[in-house]
Amino acid sequence: MHKDKKDLLQGTLDLLVMRVLRSGPRHGYDIAKHIHLVSENVIHVGQGSLYPSLHRMERRGYIKAKWDITETGRKAKFYELTKDGVIKVSEEEKNWEEFTSAVGLILKNA
Amino acid sequence: MTTRRKARSLAYLFRSFLKSEKRQDELDEEFQFHLDMRVRDLMRSGLSQAEARREAVREFGGVQQLKEQCRDNWGIRLYENFKRDLRYSWRQILKQKRFSVVIILIMGISIGLNTLMFSLIDSVYLNPGLYPDEDRIVRIADVFSGRNARNIKSWMTSPLYYLERKEQSRVLENIGVYQTDWAIVRDLDNRSNSPYQQLLVSPSLLETLSLKPFLGRFFTQEDIDSGNHEVVILGYAFWHNRYGGDPNVIGSKMLIDDEPYTIIGVMRSDFNIPFGFDPDGTDPRFETPFMTPWIERPWHKTARGRQHNYCNTLGLLKPGQTVQNLKTELQEINSRNSPLFPEAYRYEIEHAHEIAIVPLKDDLVRNVRTQLSLLLISFAFILAMACANVSSLFLSQNRVRSGEFGIRAALGASRLRLIGQILIEKCTYSFLSCAVGLFFLWIAHTIISQTNLYDLFLIPPKPRWSYNLLIYLLISGVAIGVFTGLLSTLGIISKEGFGKMMKEQSRSSTRGKAAKRYQSTLLWCQLTLSTVILVFGGFLLKSFVQILKIDPGFDPDNLYTVSFNLADSDYDNDAKRQFMAELKKRTQELSDVESAGISFFPPLKWGGNHTTRMVTEQDWIQGIRDSSICIQDSVDTTFLATLDISLISGRYFNESDLRNNARNIIIDRRIADKHFNDTDPIGKRIALRNHPSPPDRDNPGNWYTVVGVVESVVRSNLIDPSAMGTIYRNVNEYIPYWFTLVAKSKSNPTHLRASIRDIRNSIDPFVVMDKEETMSEIMNKQHRFNRYLLSIVSLIALIGLFITGIGLYGIIRFLITQNRKEISIRIALGEGIHKVRLNVVSYWAKISMISTIIGASLTVLLSIKFETLLYKVNPGDPFVLLFSVFFIILIIIGTAWLSSTSIKRSNLLEVLRVE
């Protein structure tokens, strides 16, 4: 049970990060901030989860990283989706929708 | 995962591996950027720069842990840890130089010895490399109960068994036969002849063993089928000695038994047929001078051909076939054919005929199994002792560093991480030890390659440098490192132990009870094993000394022996008698000769026995028809006295016996005890039978009268003397075609060599002289093997002592260092240094006494199990036990005293400050 729960959480974070990156390359801080803003300050992604997640997805080939200059003129590491990542995020979105609708049905009818 | 993604993931891993340093820097930079951005945002929300930074750092959390997590995702964390631990281990080794040298020496010698053992087994058993298909070659023999069932050396087969198997076996790809035989060869001067022991070999044997000639060709089945039997292949040494290595010798003729044989080939110098050259099993270096084809004779296919077991056969199994398949098939063949020969069949049933099949590789080590077991046991003990030693030293080292481990654990290092670090450190020691082991191995190989070990191993070991050997060395090194490392980490492997270690790290000078108990256990093991190896070594040493002290039953000092071959001379019996008498007379006239005698088969000279069957007249009258086997020799009047073989009753032969060719006989004590019980054998009659017809009691020509009883002597094998008795016949009555002259010299017997040669030359220079050697040389030859074993066991005992010594020194020294606070306080409070040292020594004396008693008891039990390895030594021999125990106690006390010299009048405050 515990393992399933952990997988779900990890998977959710990965989905959020990849979804954010679909709109274009972002650095780690920007990703965390964007999730925070878009979720209307509900979801706060800690650095302790974000960076391991980014490195994990980079190893799996869903995202790739490159060093670039930010709008403030500083060097930062930007992450962007790969082709595999694009496919993966679509699959995960679909899975998520199925999952949430199933949970919704249970909450509504059970 | 798709192949493309797998490849990408691997590439990522590879990049991380190559650019790990750069990635570390990038990770730092990435985190720093994150922090700076957060600080900027917080400052915008109104915090001061210091507050914003403090808050950002707080939010960010443990940077190190986060880095570890990220590195985990790179997939190279293990590599990173390994690199760090390796660097750390190297620093530790350099920091504790003396300790490291002790460990590396102990482990290096053990690894070297272990690999040497592997190398020896590989070269004599696993991979002797004698024949291309040696894995499929088997030795096939027919054994009969009461005849050769228990004597593997005489495992032979008969010509008909061989021929049936050759024709009918489907499991065998090929089968070959060979035997030895004496042949007389005309010398190149065309005047004299020399006897040689040649090899008769079937062409199929050469195919079975895939042997190739050095020059010319080997004979083939076509040679034999076409009647071209008179062909010979020369041995390499014979070709060099006789023909000076002339390659044009091929095609020329050689007279063997007065028949011209065509030389068609020369064997390679490493030509070897297992045991074909070693009819007595005494001298494996016997090099065959030449070989001729083994020919199928008409009588081979008769009952006689089935009953005469004198051939060696080797078979080549078809690929995929097993020894069991072959055995089943040969039994079927036998049950089909045996009833065709009723007499032989009856013999088979009466004597429980059995087909014995041994893989060649097993056959090659049959004579060295004991030696190999002995070496294996000795090396296993050395290894076990070294492991206990090293573990104990490692444990001591870990205890010293428990504070360091505790701090690391407090900083977040997991139990596994600590164990991993310790193991890598121990394996670093192992790798360095492997280098020492390699050096040790190189020395051992050099010694072995320059030493003639034919006496120790039938197939002389030729240790080779191979990848297998190096891999074995590395694996054994790592295994010992991991094993000893794990033993030393047992204290922290369990959660409880880990917790205790963390608690104990705050009081570094005192040790927990569990740790003390564990260390004591290792120490006891080490001391007990040392005692076992020393006491067992003592038993073996005494065995060898006993063997060297064996009394042959006669006086071997100053005896010179030389054999004369009359087989190829034209001498009739009278001429032979005359030659022997003249030779002996002139030898006795030499000023340096005390006495001289003649014998057909003198003790120890030929490495075998000449036997016959006998029955006493009394048994014959009582209807006892079973004759018993005995050894027979024919001697002259002075032979027995020359060897100082004591006369128990009656007399030796006299001139009258010789003159009249009297059918008198002398028996030894064994025959007297066995056949005459309490009655006096003198005057009694004995019949000798080599054929099944019964002796005619009324015909005095069939009977021999006993005229003397002499003491029994060792006839052929000093270590395993035969229980058979000996009868001595009158040399003039039973004239041999070769004989041995034995002369007792007043001084060094080798001085007689030239004089006796001169005598031979003056009587008849064409009589062949052979085996000129002193009796001491003959006995030394038999003892050579034991001398080698003696050296090896002594060497192992010395290495064991060395390892024990340095291991104990290290541990006692360490324990003294551990207790230096207590020792310093006692010295500061006025206790004399000598008294403190004495306390240390008496403590170790007590431990040594108890551990040696346990070790000695264990050895006695072990010796009972391995009693067959001991010769005339009781497993509880008090002398060996007391001496060995005393010796090991002395070593422990000596080591303790040496270590205690490190106790000095140190400044108490200084010690306490350090603590």
Side-chain angles (χ1 to χ4, degrees):
Chain A
M1 279 306 281
H2 177 72
K3 190 176 182 292
D4 293 343
K5 190 180 169 191
K6 195 180 163 195
D7 285 347
L8 175 71
L9 290 171
Q10 269 185 5
T12 312
L13 177 61
D14 290 356
L15 173 62
L16 296 181
V17 171
M18 285 194 287
R19 184 65 188 77
V20 170
L21 288 177
R22 205 159 68 173
S23 58
R26 287 173 193 273
H27 51 72
Y29 184 74
D30 197 15
I31 296 168
K33 204 171 151 186
H34 193 76
I35 292 172
H36 192 62
L37 283 174
V38 173
S39 68
E40 294 173 352
N41 299 341
V42 172
I43 299 175
H44 174 77
V45 180
Q47 299 80 350
S49 311
L50 177 68
Y51 285 101
S53 167
L54 284 168
H55 284 262
R56 184 170 57 245
M57 285 192 290
E58 190 186 358
R59 197 183 74 188
R60 288 178 182 168
Y62 298 137
I63 59 174
K64 59 183 177 184
K66 64 174 179 185
W67 287 88
D68 212 338
I69 306 295
T70 64
E71 67 274 19
T72 56
R74 277 199 63 172
K75 213 171 99 178
K77 195 176 182 183
F78 283 80
Y79 295 92
E80 62 178 313
L81 275 182
T82 61
K83 279 182 189 169
D84 281 347
V86 174
I87 297 165
K88 180 76 179 169
V89 78
S90 310
E91 281 172 13
E92 291 298 315
E93 262 184 306
K94 204 177 151 198
N95 288 344
W96 179 257
E97 276 161 16
E98 282 173 12
F99 178 74
T100 48
S101 64
V103 173
L105 282 172
I106 293 168
L107 293 178
K108 196 173 165 185
N109 302 324
Chain B
M1 201 190 269
T2 62
T3 316
R4 193 161 54 90
R5 272 185 50 210
K6 271 186 196 165
R8 199 182 296 156
S9 182
L10 271 176
Y12 177 86
L13 195 71
F14 192 62
R15 273 201 307 277
S16 304
F17 184 72
L18 287 180
K19 298 179 180 174
S20 68
E21 297 291 332
K22 193 184 168 200
R23 294 212 67 175
Q24 292 275 7
D25 294 344
E26 285 181 358
L27 196 63
D28 287 342
E29 206 175 334
E30 190 175 14
F31 287 178
Q32 191 57 52
F33 173 78
H34 187 108
L35 274 171
D36 291 348
M37 293 301 283
R38 183 65 187 148
V39 169
R40 191 194 66 178
D41 284 354
L42 287 169
M43 282 171 70
R44 278 182 187 163
S45 67
L47 293 181
S48 68
Q49 190 178 3
E51 284 169 342
R53 181 152 295 278
R54 203 162 38 243
E55 180 56 22
V57 169
R58 191 192 60 76
E59 275 178 17
F60 203 89
V63 178
Q64 285 307 321
Q65 280 94 329
L66 193 53
K67 278 186 186 172
E68 289 280 322
Q69 284 179 37
C70 289
R71 275 199 291 262
D72 280 353
N73 284 312
W74 297 351
I76 55 163
R77 187 178 176 182
L78 276 176
Y79 164 72
E80 289 287 320
N81 288 343
F82 174 74
K83 220 167 61 176
R84 207 175 309 134
D85 290 346
L86 202 63
R87 217 175 296 137
Y88 184 74
S89 304
W90 185 244
R91 279 205 300 271
Q92 282 292 330
I93 288 170
L94 289 179
K95 197 173 142 194
Q96 304 168 323
K97 285 191 190 72
R98 239 184 280 175
F99 177 86
S100 304
V101 167
V102 169
I103 292 275
I104 290 167
L105 266 182
I106 296 177
M107 283 173 84
I109 292 172
S110 313
I111 292 169
L113 270 177
N114 196 18
T115 317
L116 177 65
M117 189 64 219
F118 172 78
S119 166
L120 287 177
I121 291 176
D122 182 53
S123 62
V124 299
Y125 181 60
L126 296 177
N127 189 21
L130 292 172
Y131 312 107
D133 296 311
E134 58 196 8
D135 288 330
R136 290 193 285 136
I137 300 173
V138 290
R139 186 168 145 92
I140 304 165
D142 292 271
V143 293
F144 298 88
S145 67
R147 193 160 135 200
N148 60 349
R150 293 168 69 186
N151 184 7
I152 196 168
K153 269 188 182 174
S154 61
W155 276 14
M156 303 251 180
T157 194
S158 68
L160 189 51
Y161 283 134
Y162 159 69
L163 293 170
E164 286 168 358
R165 286 161 195 169
K166 190 167 190 277
E167 283 163 17
Q168 297 169 35
S169 173
R170 300 284 169 269
V171 174
L172 288 172
E173 189 173 305
N174 211 336
I175 182 170
V177 64
Y178 60 103
Q179 67 175 92
T180 53
D181 192 20
W182 284 95
I184 306 298
V185 177
R186 179 60 53 93
D187 291 337
L188 287 176
D189 60 9
N190 216 19
R191 292 182 62 204
S192 55
N193 292 321
S194 299
Y196 289 100
Q197 200 166 25
Q198 65 157 330
L199 204 58
L200 300 174
V201 175
S202 71
S204 57
L205 185 90
L206 302 168
E207 288 162 15
T208 301
L209 300 178
S210 307
L211 294 170
K212 299 275 179 286
F214 176 71
L215 269 185
R217 63 176 183 91
F218 281 161
F219 32 73
T220 59
Q221 194 57 44
E222 287 76 51
D223 285 321
I224 293 164
D225 294 343
S226 63
N228 185 19
H229 302 161
E230 278 78 31
V231 284
V232 60
I233 295 159
L234 306 181
Y236 189 85
F238 182 82
W239 171 59
H240 262 279
N241 295 340
R242 188 177 158 105
Y243 297 103
D246 179 10
N248 297 321
V249 76
I250 307 294
S252 57
K253 301 279 182 190
M254 187 167 104
L255 271 182
I256 303 173
D257 292 333
D258 286 334
E259 295 288 337
Y261 276 67
T262 309
I263 300 169
I264 59 165
V266 175
M267 302 170 208
R268 285 160 51 132
S269 57
D270 59 352
F271 180 91
N272 193 356
I273 287 183
F275 315 117
F277 314 147
D278 179 24
D280 302 317
T282 50
D283 192 356
R285 278 166 299 177
F286 180 85
E287 195 175 303
T288 193
F290 51 86
M291 61 180 176
T292 55
W294 187 91
I295 312 288
E296 188 190 323
R297 307 284 177 196
W299 68 268
H300 284 167
K301 290 203 167 170
T302 65
R304 203 172 128 221
R306 202 171 175 80
Q307 280 178 299
H308 281 63
N309 267 31
Y310 63 89
C311 304
N312 295 284
T313 51
L314 291 176
L316 179 67
L317 290 171
K318 281 183 180 164
Q321 292 291 0
T322 62
V323 167
Q324 191 50 48
N325 291 353
L326 178 63
K327 193 162 188 171
T328 311
E329 188 198 41
L330 295 190
Q331 277 164 348
E332 282 167 15
I333 293 173
N334 207 46
S335 53
R336 253 194 332 262
N337 298 322
S338 286
L340 303 174
F341 303 92
E343 196 183 339
Y345 187 40
R346 196 166 50 247
Y347 186 86
E348 277 182 11
I349 293 168
E350 281 172 6
H351 291 82
H353 169 242
E354 201 186 325
I355 299 166
I357 303 170
V358 195
L360 181 71
K361 280 184 173 180
D362 290 348
D363 200 33
L364 291 176
V365 291
R366 64 185 182 182
N367 289 351
V368 292
R369 222 163 248 155
T370 312
Q371 293 91 306
L372 282 179
S373 324
L374 187 69
L375 286 176
L376 267 174
I377 293 168
S378 312
F379 286 2
F381 268 112
I382 293 269
L383 203 62
M385 202 165 78
C387 283
N389 246 335
V390 170
S391 306
S392 199
L393 284 167
F394 277 159
L395 185 72
S396 310
Q397 189 197 35
N398 288 354
R399 300 306 310 171
V400 170
R401 290 165 58 194
S402 64
E404 171 202 327
F405 295 142
I407 291 166
R408 287 207 58 197
L411 286 175
S414 67
R415 198 152 42 101
L416 276 177
R417 179 78 190 81
L418 276 184
I419 292 170
Q421 185 207 326
I422 293 171
L423 284 184
I424 287 172
E425 196 178 312
K426 306 320 177 203
C427 286
T428 313
Y429 277 109
S430 293
F431 281 115
L432 291 172
S433 308
C434 282
V436 175
L438 207 61
F439 179 66
F440 180 86
L441 196 63
W442 175 73
I443 294 175
H445 274 193
T446 312
I447 293 171
I448 288 174
S449 60
Q450 288 175 0
T451 314
N452 190 350
L453 290 182
Y454 274 93
D455 302 283
L456 194 57
F457 300 101
L458 201 57
I459 298 295
K462 290 177 190 159
R464 295 172 290 260
W465 290 102
S466 61
Y467 288 121
N468 282 353
L469 196 68
L470 295 179
I471 289 169
Y472 183 85
L473 183 116
L474 276 179
I475 290 177
S476 60
V478 173
I480 293 172
V482 171
F483 177 67
T484 51
L486 275 178
L487 274 180
S488 70
T489 54
L490 277 182
I492 54 172
I493 278 179
S494 67
K495 274 188 184 166
E496 296 73 25
F498 185 63
K500 273 183 190 167
M501 186 200 72
M502 287 178 69
K503 280 182 207 157
E504 279 171 19
Q505 61 95 10
S506 58
R507 15 182 197 114
S508 58
S509 61
T510 52
R511 295 183 298 144
K513 275 183 190 169
K516 274 183 179 170
R517 204 165 43 233
Y518 178 53
Q519 180 142 30
S520 305
T521 312
L522 273 180
L523 198 62
W524 283 102
C525 286
Q526 183 186 341
L527 292 176
T528 310
L529 278 171
S530 308
T531 313
V532 169
I533 200 164
L534 270 184
V535 177
F536 198 65
F539 283 145
L540 287 172
L541 284 178
K542 189 166 178 191
S543 294
F544 296 129
V545 171
Q546 296 280 50
I547 288 170
L548 295 177
K549 275 166 54 181
I550 289 171
D551 179 12
F554 59 88
D555 180 12
D557 291 340
N558 292 349
L559 283 181
Y560 183 73
T561 71
V562 51
S563 298
F564 293 86
N565 194 321
L566 303 174
D568 59 327
S569 62
D570 297 329
Y571 286 11
D572 59 12
N573 280 352
D574 279 340
K576 283 178 186 171
R577 284 187 193 113
Q578 214 172 343
F579 179 86
M580 287 191 285
E582 189 64 22
L583 182 77
K584 180 182 149 185
K585 183 173 153 269
R586 293 208 199 171
T587 305
Q588 278 178 323
E589 283 168 5
L590 292 171
S591 58
D592 208 22
V593 170
E594 233 175 68
S595 67
I598 279 170
S599 156
F600 169 43
F601 221 90
L604 304 177
K605 178 82 176 167
W606 293 98
N609 286 319
H610 182 58
T611 57
T612 184
R613 301 187 81 86
M614 60 158 282
V615 61
T616 62
E617 190 176 24
Q618 202 172 350
D619 285 348
W620 189 256
I621 293 166
Q622 288 171 4
I624 299 170
R625 295 291 180 264
D626 282 342
S627 52
S628 62
I629 296 178
C630 64
I631 298 164
Q632 72 167 330
D633 189 6
S634 49
V635 299
D636 70 348
T637 52
T638 49
F639 175 78
L640 295 169
T642 302
L643 261 70
D644 205 10
I645 298 175
S646 318
L647 186 69
I648 297 169
S649 65
R651 60 172 177 83
Y652 294 135
F653 290 126
N654 56 28
E655 287 302 327
S656 157
D657 294 322
L658 257 62
R659 215 169 24 247
N660 304 322
N661 303 339
R663 293 176 73 82
N664 289 340
I665 207 164
I666 295 173
I667 59 173
D668 76 348
R669 185 193 284 275
R670 284 199 198 107
I671 291 193
D673 291 345
K674 186 176 171 188
H675 295 280
F676 297 99
N677 297 327
D678 297 330
T679 57
D680 184 6
I682 305 297
K684 302 281 188 321
R685 297 205 302 174
I686 288 173
L688 302 181
R689 310 167 57 200
N690 277 323
H691 50 83
S693 60
D696 178 358
R697 194 169 162 245
D698 299 325
N699 180 359
N702 283 345
W703 296 92
Y704 292 82
T705 307
V706 178
V707 294
V709 180
V710 293
E711 198 52 76
S712 299
V713 297
V714 179
R715 299 295 312 184
S716 60
N717 191 334
L718 278 168
I719 297 148
D720 185 18
S722 165
M724 277 191 282
T726 307
I727 54 142
Y728 297 92
R729 294 167 72 175
N730 165 359
V731 76
N732 273 7
E733 178 266 324
Y734 180 61
I735 301 170
Y737 46 89
W738 79 75
F739 69 90
T740 300
L741 173 79
V742 180
K744 180 101 179 167
S745 168
K746 290 174 187 162
S747 57
N748 186 348
T750 51
H751 294 157
L752 297 178
R753 185 166 290 155
S755 315
I756 293 177
R757 275 184 170 271
D758 288 345
I759 294 171
R760 188 275 312 254
N761 291 342
S762 64
I763 305 173
D764 182 349
F766 297 113
V767 171
V768 176
M769 278 175 78
D770 191 19
K771 288 176 89 85
E772 298 168 74
E773 54 197 347
T774 66
M775 192 53 86
S776 307
E777 283 167 351
I778 296 172
M779 289 178 72
N780 284 341
K781 213 160 65 181
Q782 289 216 10
H783 284 317
R784 260 185 318 209
F785 162 73
N786 296 305
R787 290 222 174 83
Y788 275 123
L789 274 188
L790 189 67
S791 329
I792 287 176
V793 170
S794 311
L795 186 72
I796 288 170
L798 271 178
I799 292 172
L801 268 183
F802 175 70
I803 291 178
T804 310
I806 53 176
L808 276 177
Y809 177 78
I811 288 165
I812 299 172
R813 186 80 191 241
F814 164 76
L815 289 175
I816 290 171
T817 317
Q818 279 275 292
N819 295 320
R820 67 181 175 163
K821 183 178 168 186
E822 181 196 330
I823 291 170
S824 300
I825 292 171
R826 281 166 63 181
I827 294 172
L829 289 175
E831 197 163 336
I833 289 179
H834 288 296
K835 197 175 172 196
V836 175
R837 284 180 185 168
L838 207 64
N839 281 341
V840 170
V841 173
S842 63
Y843 170 76
W844 283 97
K846 274 182 228 158
I847 287 190
S848 64
M849 274 178 219
I850 300 168
S851 63
T852 46
I853 287 168
I854 298 171
S857 316
L858 268 177
T859 319
V860 171
L861 293 175
L862 196 74
S863 306
I864 291 169
K865 180 88 184 153
F866 291 99
E867 205 173 353
T868 46
L869 291 176
L870 305 177
Y871 183 82
K872 286 191 177 176
V873 176
N874 186 343
D877 190 293
F879 173 75
V880 176
L881 276 176
L882 281 176
F883 182 76
S884 310
V885 165
F886 173 74
F887 194 58
I888 187 106
I889 289 175
L890 204 68
I891 286 179
I892 297 172
I893 293 176
T895 316
W897 177 253
L898 200 67
S899 310
S900 71
T901 52
S902 68
I903 298 172
K904 293 193 172 66
R905 191 176 290 284
S906 49
N907 186 333
L908 177 64
L909 284 177
E910 197 181 308
V911 172
L912 290 175
R913 196 167 55 240
V914 171
E915 287 291 321

